[in-house]
Amino acid sequence: MSFEVFLGAIDALFTYETMFWVVAGVFIGIIVGALPGLGPPLGMAIILPLTLPLDASNAIILLIGVYSGSMYGGSIAAILINTPGVSSSAATMFDGYPMSKQGRAATALSVSATASAIAGVFTITALILFSPVLIEMVLAVGTPERFLVAILGLAMITVVTRGSLAKGLLAGAAGLLVTTVGSAPMTLDRRYSESFLLYDGIDFVAVLIGLFAIAEMMKLAGEEGGIAEGDVVIGGGIVEGAVIAIKHPITVVKSGLIGMGVGSIPGAGATVSNFVAYSEAVRSSADPDSFGSGNEIGVVASEASNNGTVAGSLIPAISFGIPGSSSTAVLIGGLLMHDLRPGPSMFDADGELLLTYTMLLALLVGNLVILLFGLSMVTRLGYLTKIDTDYIIPMVVVLSFLGTYAIRINPIDIITIIVFGVIGFYMVRYNYSVIAFVLGVVLGDIAEDNLYTALQLSDGSFMIFVNPFEYGRWLSPVLVIVICAILFGPFVKRSIGRVLGT
Amino acid sequence: MSQRPDLLERSIGLLRSVRLQVIRARKRLSQRISEPIGRVLMAIWEPIERLLSVLWAPFGVVIAALASPLLRMTDAFERTLFGVARVVADYSEPILRERPTMEHVLLVSFFVIGVYMYVAAEEFGASAQVFPQLMAATTAILSGLLLVRNYLDAVAPVALAVGGVYFAYTGATTWIDDGTGAVRTLVGAALAVVAVVERDRVGDATKSFVAEPMQVLGEDDVGASEEEEGEDESAATGAYTYDIVDRRGPAVTGLLSVLYMVLTFAIGMLYSTPIFVVMYGLWARMSPARTIALALFSFAIAFAFYWVISDDIAEGWYTGWEPTPPDELIGLAVSNGGLLVDVVVILT
């Protein structure tokens, strides 16, 4: 059955319209990724309202194309002007920029394009092959467990992003609280909506645009640099770069898998995988001292890992609606906006499995587009690094306002993007996890639905989550224990250590 | 046998020279095509830029005349605001045991919203209030803990003891009413006892839960960890903060966005969009030609939204006023032009 759906997905993908959106998404993504200060979540958040006229499949393909393209695009600024276009390309700077200074910018860019594409294709193929197992896993998880998985995702984000645990949890709880405004998902009670403008609640697309677009533009307005000061010279061999990436299959595959593994952990994202893969490349090299002064393997590892992250972060996102990164949070927002619910229905042959496979295949094709675009446009990519932020900021604000307002023509949405823009700006400034906040906003309705259904099953008792003897749900207490271990494990361990005097 | 490598080398050499020729030809072609196009574009743009500068000049004078008292007022407002903020900060510092920042404003907002939403949720139906109350309580408690982070030694045991007593009391009353709630009573009592007997450990544990890892490690450890992890630590952990070089940048962007919102509610988004871009261009000291070009571009985007997605963006939501949109203006001009032609024809 799944195989038939898979064949159907191939059919659905290879139409002129769908292929147009794949290419358009990757193209926009590369530009968004290459412009310092922008990034995949911002690009996706701005495009999100514009996908409204599209059908669900093309809208999601466009968004995922932007996501994938921007992962490669981030390396352009990192290599050419020593400023990562996106944080997930930070490690690319270490060797990419020295290569550029040695007159080998074209080589570095083609290494980046080839490594990104190969790792992307490899990890997406692995995900497609792994999908039958994933389907079984997702379908085995019941309603109470899905609520706990959401809380587990939140707990993991607060731990992975480190900083203060209380700050992480506060961000997540505040995000969930935002979704309680408006009609209750199951009972349709009106909550906190004295004004009729709030009857439909606070639109999560407006929140996402506020957090990612307005907050980022406020931040960008206060920063300096990020633009090439002089002419960017792009020298070196393009074919040479592609050959270098192909000659290091182990680094590409290993880094891609690191990206995929780290990406599947909620909150970890491409920034972490980027550094982990780079460190591993240095560790396993026979000549570790050459890293940091233009070693191509450093670029291979860094770029292969961040494109591998795309496949990894999709696993929790489409399985349980838990974003592995800010970008997948926006992607989930796109799914919800088009009435698609992450979870079992995304893997149901009679549900949205066709869309899931089409999306994965689109990513596969998108990586080939990255390769073609990356190699053929190498000498022209320097233009992107010369666009002044003074042009970018007003345009992004305008697109944010127009896109948000056009969705519902509700003035509350305009107020929302400004309020959450300011909140997002200060949250990042004082190290509060924006990803946890976004997770809360995106997950709120789903979490409340699952909590409501679980409490209905138990006549309102929270014991359904912890007492397997009465309710026969053994996965729930296991998940509760895992959540407690993640949240309180380090403190308990420290206390035990103090008691034992170790 | 020995001729084979020669042949191979010659073939490779030939291929290389062909490739080189192709590259040179492509470069020449590219130059031949792109240079004239570039020259034509510049020839078109330069007079436009000069014309725009000339057209802009009177507006520039008017705007400068209007903006100058506005800027003086803004400076005075900024000085007053910073003065007030400094006074508030001076008074709050001994209470908070740290210099208040916008983080405290954020936390107070979260706390007030959490408390309000918890209390307001009492009015909802039983099943509709569980989730909001759970989240509101969590938000209020965590923001409260973060606000009093310098008093946790004293506050945490007291808060835990009060919570424990509350749990025990509500559990006990439920137990008396319907026979359930024994577990809650026992847990509440145990919490209260732990809070009193182990108050030091409760304080320490809460501090490490609330504080940043650096604060938990202490001064000596901080130096060591900084050396080990280097400056990219924040990037490596996926959490990132940033340094603001120009404090006015974010403030002006935020204020202009608010102004854009006000204009949107007054005259609609269609016409407020280029006004916002012009205001931003003036602040960023963009050249007049570029400001106008960017404003026209933004207006084209807004018009595309008006044309394709929703014509509601041309109306001010609050005032209900809809300035005549450009398509109607063009229609009006065309019909007036037609009228003018008719008049001329009649007269002649």
Side-chain angles (χ1 to χ4, degrees):
Chain A
M1 190 66 178
S2 292
F3 188 68
E4 283 168 22
V5 178
F6 184 75
L7 292 177
I10 295 175
D11 254 1
L13 177 68
F14 289 103
T15 59
Y16 287 114
E17 196 189 349
T18 309
M19 288 307 293
F20 171 78
W21 294 117
V22 174
V23 176
V26 172
F27 188 72
I28 295 168
I30 291 174
I31 293 172
V32 164
L35 295 172
L38 306 191
L42 187 150
M44 291 168 76
I46 291 175
I47 283 177
L48 198 56
L50 306 182
T51 64
L52 210 57
L54 301 182
D55 67 53
S57 163
N58 287 336
I60 301 306
I61 282 169
L62 176 67
L63 288 172
I64 215 157
V66 175
Y67 182 22
S68 182
S70 58
M71 284 293 167
Y72 162 66
S75 70
I76 297 169
I79 289 167
L80 297 181
I81 56 168
N82 206 25
T83 303
V86 294
S87 57
S88 55
S89 290
T92 308
M93 288 190 310
F94 299 156
D95 288 289
Y97 186 62
M99 282 178 77
S100 186
K101 282 177 84 176
Q102 291 159 12
R104 296 163 66 211
T107 311
L109 286 168
S110 69
V111 166
S112 161
T114 314
S116 297
I118 297 174
V121 168
F122 173 73
T123 48
I124 293 295
T125 309
L127 181 57
I128 291 171
L129 295 175
F130 175 65
S131 62
V133 182
L134 192 66
I135 292 169
E136 294 298 319
M137 275 168 58
V138 173
L139 296 178
V141 175
T143 305
E145 290 80 20
R146 276 204 290 281
F147 171 72
L148 289 172
V149 168
I151 303 298
L152 177 67
L154 199 60
M156 284 178 85
I157 283 175
T158 57
V159 171
V160 170
T161 51
R162 292 178 46 184
S164 159
L165 199 56
K167 284 184 177 180
L169 288 175
L170 170 62
L176 288 166
L177 192 59
V178 169
T179 64
T180 62
V181 177
S183 303
M186 303 299 281
T187 58
L188 299 179
D189 285 64
R190 284 216 182 96
R191 301 187 297 203
Y192 312 113
S193 42
E194 284 76 14
S195 160
F196 75 95
L197 295 171
L198 281 168
Y199 279 3
D200 290 332
I202 294 173
D203 188 35
F204 63 84
V205 177
V207 177
L208 292 178
I209 289 177
L211 288 173
F212 291 124
I214 303 297
E216 284 296 312
M217 289 308 102
M218 286 173 68
K219 184 187 128 200
L220 202 59
E223 287 179 330
E224 270 182 2
I227 298 159
E229 281 163 9
D231 279 337
V232 177
V233 180
I234 300 183
I238 298 167
V239 180
E240 183 195 341
V243 171
I244 288 168
I246 293 165
K247 275 188 178 170
H248 292 93
I250 295 176
T251 310
V252 173
V253 170
K254 191 166 64 176
S255 305
L257 286 175
I258 288 173
M260 194 175 176
V262 175
S264 63
I265 301 168
T271 312
V272 179
S273 74
N274 191 238
F275 280 96
V276 174
Y278 184 82
S279 308
E280 172 55 25
V282 176
R283 190 201 62 77
S284 57
S285 170
D287 182 19
D289 293 337
S290 64
F291 282 82
S293 53
N295 189 329
E296 306 94 341
I297 302 172
V299 180
V300 171
S302 167
E303 285 304 305
S305 69
N306 63 27
N307 270 60
T309 313
V310 176
S313 65
L314 285 177
I315 297 173
I318 54 177
S319 311
F320 300 106
I322 298 169
S325 61
S326 308
S327 312
T328 35
V330 184
L331 183 70
I332 292 171
L335 289 171
L336 294 172
M337 202 174 93
H338 288 276
D339 292 328
L340 301 167
R341 284 223 143 183
S345 70
M346 294 297 288
F347 296 96
D348 186 353
D350 298 321
E352 307 300 341
L353 187 60
L354 180 73
L355 172 71
T356 306
Y357 276 139
T358 313
M359 186 169 76
L360 296 179
L361 288 170
L363 259 178
L364 212 60
V365 176
N367 279 293
L368 298 176
V369 176
I370 288 175
L371 185 66
L372 287 174
F373 181 86
L375 294 182
S376 60
M377 297 297 288
V378 160
T379 52
R380 299 278 180 274
L381 294 173
Y383 292 125
L384 294 174
T385 60
K386 296 177 79 71
I387 299 175
D388 199 324
T389 46
D390 282 340
Y391 304 145
I392 297 172
I393 293 169
M395 284 299 117
V396 169
V397 173
V398 162
L399 283 172
S400 305
F401 269 63
L402 287 166
T404 310
Y405 197 50
I407 295 178
R408 307 193 298 178
I409 312 291
N410 187 338
I412 283 294
D413 294 343
I414 298 292
I415 298 170
T416 302
I417 60 169
I418 293 177
V419 168
F420 284 92
V422 175
I423 289 176
F425 174 76
Y426 284 111
M427 281 182 79
V428 178
R429 179 122 184 80
Y430 295 109
N431 208 12
Y432 288 77
S433 170
V434 173
I435 304 178
F437 190 83
V438 168
L439 174 76
V441 173
V442 170
L443 216 56
D445 283 350
I446 301 173
E448 188 173 1
D449 261 5
N450 290 326
L451 176 67
Y452 178 83
T453 313
L455 291 179
Q456 289 239 308
L457 291 174
S458 64
D459 288 331
S461 170
F462 280 91
M463 295 307 281
I464 191 169
F465 298 116
V466 287
N467 189 347
F469 301 105
E470 193 176 343
Y471 297 96
R473 310 191 77 95
W474 287 90
L475 188 56
S476 295
V478 171
L479 286 168
V480 170
I481 290 167
V482 173
I483 292 166
C484 292
I486 286 172
L487 289 179
F488 305 113
F491 306 115
V492 173
K493 195 179 157 194
R494 201 176 302 140
S495 300
I496 292 171
R498 274 186 201 153
V499 170
L500 296 175
T502 53
Chain B
M1 286 293 280
S2 62
Q3 280 181 342
R4 271 193 179 175
D6 274 358
L7 192 65
L8 192 68
E9 272 171 23
R10 261 189 285 162
S11 310
I12 291 171
L14 190 70
L15 280 173
R16 276 189 184 149
S17 72
V18 168
R19 187 170 158 264
L20 216 61
Q21 291 298 325
V22 169
I23 290 171
R24 278 181 193 152
R26 204 181 65 180
K27 234 178 212 172
R28 276 200 300 274
L29 189 70
S30 162
Q31 276 172 352
R32 271 183 204 163
I33 294 170
S34 64
E35 277 178 14
I37 291 175
R39 273 200 297 274
V40 169
L41 287 176
M42 284 310 290
I44 295 169
W45 172 244
E46 276 170 4
I48 292 176
E49 192 168 8
R50 274 198 295 276
L51 180 70
L52 289 174
S53 300
V54 171
L55 288 173
W56 180 256
F59 291 106
V61 172
V62 173
I63 287 172
L66 288 173
S68 134
L70 202 68
L71 283 174
R72 274 200 298 276
M73 270 169 60
T74 314
D75 283 346
F77 178 70
E78 192 181 319
R79 274 197 300 276
T80 316
L81 195 70
F82 278 118
V84 171
R86 203 174 300 118
V87 171
V88 172
D90 287 344
Y91 279 105
S92 314
E93 194 171 351
I95 301 167
L96 291 167
R97 291 187 183 168
E98 62 186 325
R99 192 77 182 161
T101 59
M102 282 305 287
E103 184 188 5
H104 293 93
V105 178
L106 190 71
L107 286 171
V108 169
S109 311
F110 278 142
F111 182 76
V112 171
I113 291 168
V115 170
Y116 165 74
M117 288 178 89
Y118 184 88
V119 174
E122 300 281 351
E123 291 172 16
F124 309 151
S127 48
Q129 67 174 234
V130 177
F131 192 73
Q133 280 198 326
L134 211 60
M135 292 311 136
T138 311
T139 304
I141 290 168
L142 289 170
S143 50
L145 279 177
L146 283 160
L147 272 172
V148 296
R149 59 191 157 203
N150 294 317
Y151 292 92
L152 285 176
D153 279 334
V155 171
V158 172
L160 190 66
V162 170
V165 169
Y166 174 75
F167 257 119
Y169 170 74
T170 52
T173 46
T174 320
W175 187 49
I176 291 165
D177 286 344
D178 56 18
T180 61
V183 175
R184 208 193 312 171
T185 312
L186 284 174
V187 170
L191 282 177
V193 169
V194 167
V196 174
V197 175
E198 294 285 341
R199 56 184 172 278
D200 290 342
R201 282 199 184 145
V202 169
D204 284 346
T206 318
K207 267 200 288 189
S208 57
F209 172 70
V210 166
E212 301 281 346
M214 297 235 308
Q215 287 170 271
V216 177
L217 289 172
E219 293 293 323
D220 296 338
D221 297 334
V222 171
S225 71
E226 272 177 356
E227 275 171 28
E228 282 165 20
E229 294 177 2
E231 59 183 11
D232 292 314
E233 204 271 340
S234 64
T237 57
Y240 78 109
T241 52
Y242 52 87
D243 290 320
I244 295 295
V245 181
D246 176 14
R247 278 200 315 173
R248 294 173 75 168
V252 172
T253 308
L255 281 174
L256 287 178
S257 299
V258 172
L259 212 59
Y260 186 16
M261 178 187 77
V262 172
L263 277 173
T264 293
F265 292 167
I267 61 167
M269 203 172 271
L270 183 63
Y271 286 112
S272 56
T273 294
I275 297 174
F276 163 75
V277 174
V278 167
M279 287 192 296
Y280 190 87
L282 284 173
W283 179 77
R285 295 178 194 283
M286 255 187 252
S287 72
R290 288 179 183 198
T291 306
I292 293 174
L294 209 60
L296 289 175
F297 181 56
S298 71
F299 184 67
I301 295 173
F303 188 70
F305 268 81
Y306 165 80
W307 192 258
V308 179
I309 298 178
S310 171
D311 57 6
D312 286 332
I313 68 162
E315 186 185 323
W317 164 77
Y318 188 73
T319 57
W321 183 38
E322 187 178 348
T324 315
D327 51 340
E328 286 179 27
L329 277 177
I330 292 166
L332 209 64
V334 169
S335 68
N336 284 346
L339 197 68
L340 197 68
V341 170
D342 289 346
V343 171
V344 170
V345 168
I346 291 164
L347 287 176
T348 53

